[in-house]
Amino acid sequence: METYASTTASAHNAARPAYNRLATTTTLLKYTYAIVPIVAGLDKFTHLLTDWDKYLAPVIADILPFSVSTFMSIVGIIEIIAGVLVLLRPKIGALVVSLWLVGIALNLLLSGQYFDVAVRDLVMAIGAFSLYLLLPDREEAHQEMH
């Protein structure tokens, strides 16, 4: 049995063009994959969210020519740049963030710990790659403007 509310909601949703939902979803993903790397990158310097040093796989820490703390500062800078790249060049930025998240997940798997975080990062990588797929190529975007 269909109620008036469900009929009205269905009619309203049918009347809304699909491109609006796609545009909203794309915008949400863009800002998510820009802000999260920037915040995580900044936190590499403050450690307010967590002690990031503990997440580096020992096999990687052992081959570093500098301290884990220095490495995490470099990681923080890269993450900030990746987040800004999503804002300025979303298509390439989404791909960079996606690959970066896969790298983080691989590091966590190498650590033999934090498998839950590795899975979460792989899911986030799929989300970032989905953003990449949703965004038009430069040529397509240029043609749509004209």
Side-chain angles (χ1 to χ4, degrees):
M1 177 176 175
E2 200 167 25
T3 66
Y4 174 75
S6 66
T7 304
T8 304
S10 296
H12 177 70
N13 286 340
R16 290 177 41 204
Y19 69 86
N20 285 338
R21 291 190 301 272
L22 284 174
T24 300
T25 301
T26 303
T27 300
L28 284 170
L29 288 170
K30 175 184 170 184
Y31 286 108
T32 297
Y33 287 104
I35 293 169
V36 170
I38 291 169
V39 169
L42 289 171
D43 198 57
K44 299 297 188 290
F45 299 95
T46 63
H47 295 279
L48 294 174
L49 297 174
T50 191
D51 175 12
W52 294 100
D53 296 357
K54 71 181 180 181
Y55 291 104
L56 187 62
V59 67
I60 295 175
D62 291 344
I63 62 172
L64 291 176
F66 37 75
S67 71
V68 170
S69 181
T70 299
F71 179 77
M72 283 300 172
S73 293
I74 295 167
V75 166
I77 292 167
I78 293 169
E79 288 173 339
I80 293 166
I81 292 169
V84 170
L85 188 58
V86 173
L87 290 173
L88 300 178
R89 299 281 305 273
K91 183 99 175 166
I92 188 70
L95 192 58
V96 167
V97 168
S98 179
L99 293 171
W100 185 255
L101 286 163
V102 169
I104 292 170
L106 291 173
N107 165 72
L108 293 170
L109 293 174
L110 283 173
S111 77
Q113 303 180 69
Y114 311 113
F115 296 123
D116 56 332
V117 180
V119 169
R120 183 212 55 204
D121 285 352
L122 288 172
V123 170
M124 289 174 51
I126 292 168
F129 187 70
S130 296
L131 174 59
Y132 168 80
L133 294 174
L134 284 171
L135 291 166
D137 293 331
R138 282 185 155 269
E139 296 80 32
E140 290 174 33
H142 182 71
Q143 288 172 357
E144 288 175 8
M145 292 176 71
H146 295 286

